[in-house]
Amino acid sequence: MTNPFDAVSDFVFRPKIPDTARRKAALLLIDTLGVAAGAHGMTPSRIARDHAVDFHAASAPQHAAPLLFDGRQASIPGAAFATATQIDNLDAHDGFNPVKGHIGCAVVPALCAFAHHVPDLTGQQALDILAMSYEIGARAGLALHATVADYHTSGAWNALAVAAIGCHLRGASKAQLREALGIAEYHGPRSQMMREIANPTMLHDGSGMGALTGSMATLLALRGFTGAPAVTIEAPEAAPFWADLSTRWTIEENYIKPYPICRWAHAPLDGLDQIMRAHDLSQDEIKSVRVGTFAESAALYPHMPDTTGQAQYSLHFALATLMRHGQVGPQHIDGAGLKDQEVAELIPRISVEVEDRHNASFPKHRMADVAVTLTDGRVFHSGDLHARGGLDAPMDEAEVAQKFRNFAQPTLGSERSAAIWVMREKLLLPDTQFAELSALLSQAP
């Protein structure tokens, strides 16, 4: 039997990316950078950046990389860790349903950190490397979930995608790539996702540690450190998950989030939003909201949150915020948003029930239904809904652009935000250098 690593190695070093996947990579890249900008002022972000500068400093310029939207530098692993942690702590970044997790959160910071030392990298090359890493991450995640009992955070497997980026951009050999993937898998944070759901903190989905581990794995392997094999690639039971590499483009199946809230809450939010807009309802007209959803969604934090981590892993609070404000944005899940008494008073109106049909569709889909009962006795039903932003219910590019502005402009201002958004198209042109985008990312707001 052919070892899947041979195909993986060829794909990592010589990715042949179709135009549709490259275009999706450009959109996911800029969307993720918008989330990074939106998360800049949050406490977890500041802690992660300060920690990287203090404890992950580089010994020489050739080992350093900028912290995004900060103005300071750290080592390449430190910069990747800080930005991935920053993005991970504003839960608005893209994801891939079948792995119940996130790839861009780790690979975008890694691409920016490693590309700092490849000044002649073109935009197209950067997008191809990014698309390649999404494909590696997706399959590593699928293989891990299928071969172990626990539900691990994304850092457990997106570390391999980060190592693939590092090895490509550092000119690693095939043998060094094999060791790097093994190191990344072995040290990847196999942290318990449902523990974080039950007790939300700044740990989120483990992607900060995934970016750190994957970056270190590359640099260690280049010095001769060994760690192969990565069993999620080379074990016989993993082989089926790599059989469609370069024929199925999972990057095109990644969703973009309209809300900075755990994806499991999105279909209920969409259902409530549709009903309120269709009937021009205010919070005062709503007597109760009943949500039918899958078990993992029902397990989200049910109370008024004390922290942004609890807010982002909430269902009741997110619905109450939408009821009160007509939207859920970064300003609602941190700071004053956590002390909104009117939102707190709406939470008891919301009830959540687990539905077998929604359980049966998970994790391929994120489905829910919503019933809104008014004070005058009328009841409105959403019917069964897919969460928006993925293949089941796409967002158009105008809505993604508005999301980017909502997240980036408060930190970066309108001119700098607009320049970054324009790079979504410019990177697709053959004469654009990736350094043009990098120059827009490194300076502090």
Side-chain angles (χ1 to χ4, degrees), residues 108-182:
V108 167
L111 174 66
C112 293
F114 279 105
H116 181 65
H117 296 283
V118 189
D120 58 347
L121 185 70
T122 69
Q124 287 188 356
Q125 289 171 333
L127 293 176
D128 286 359
I129 294 165
L130 186 65
M132 172 274 289
S133 70
Y134 270 84
E135 299 303 323
I136 298 298
R139 288 164 178 83
L142 290 170
L144 180 64
H145 287 317
T147 54
V148 298
D150 288 348
Y151 172 15
H152 294 110
T153 60
S154 298
W157 44 266
N158 62 29
L160 281 79
V162 168
I165 288 176
C167 285
H168 183 112
L169 287 173
R170 288 296 230 195
S173 67
K174 179 178 179 179
Q176 289 168 331
L177 170 66
R178 184 169 181 261
E179 304 299 341
L181 293 171

Side-chain angles (χ1 to χ4, degrees), residues 268 290-293 355 357-358 367-371 381-385:
R290 181 266 182 198
V291 174
T293 188
E355 295 287 354
R357 68 186 186 280
H358 299 323
M367 298 190 69
D369 66 280
V370 176
H381 296 273
S382 69
D384 290 354
L385 292 173

Side-chain angles (χ1 to χ4, degrees), residues 11 19 69 114 148 154 175 208 235 244 276 312 338 385 394 411 428:
F11 184 73
D19 290 342
F69 311 122
F114 279 105
V148 298
S154 298
D244 60 0
M276 292 187 69
Q312 292 177 60
L338 305 179
L385 292 173
T411 300
L428 294 164

Side-chain angles (χ1 to χ4, degrees), residues 151 194 197 262-266 268 294 296-297 300 362 366:
Y151 172 15
M194 294 310 294
I197 296 299
C262 176
R263 184 67 169 172
W264 299 346
H266 282 215
F294 50 96
E296 288 81 356
S297 172
L300 290 168
F362 181 81
R366 309 285 191 271

Side-chain angles (χ1 to χ4, degrees), residues 31-47:
D31 177 70
T32 304
L33 292 172
V35 177
H40 176 271
M42 299 176 70
T43 298
S45 306
R46 175 183 53 77
I47 293 172

